[in-house]
Amino acid sequence: MSVDETLLYCTTPSHTPGWVDVTVINPDGEHDTLVDSFWYGDQPPPGVQLLYVPAVHR
């Protein structure tokens, strides 16, 4: 995994096709989860032609 000021890059394990939650945990233990925010699959998710996930700032 690598991190810069606005992006987080990681490698995901294999998984069956479908949406999954993404949880990020900071070194201080603070965390947040985006529900159904990552799509596993070799095709785009049903009904989606373009997927853009903006950065979340708190």
Side-chain angles (χ1 to χ4, degrees), residues 21-58:
D21 299 348
V22 174
T23 300
V24 175
I25 304 170
N26 293 332
D28 65 1
E30 184 178 348
H31 65 279
D32 203 357
T33 299
L34 294 172
V35 176
D36 291 338
S37 58
F38 184 83
W39 171 260
Y40 273 95
D42 57 355
Q43 299 294 320
V48 174
Q49 295 179 2
L50 176 65
L51 182 63
Y52 171 74
V53 180
V56 176
H57 298 281
R58 292 187 181 237

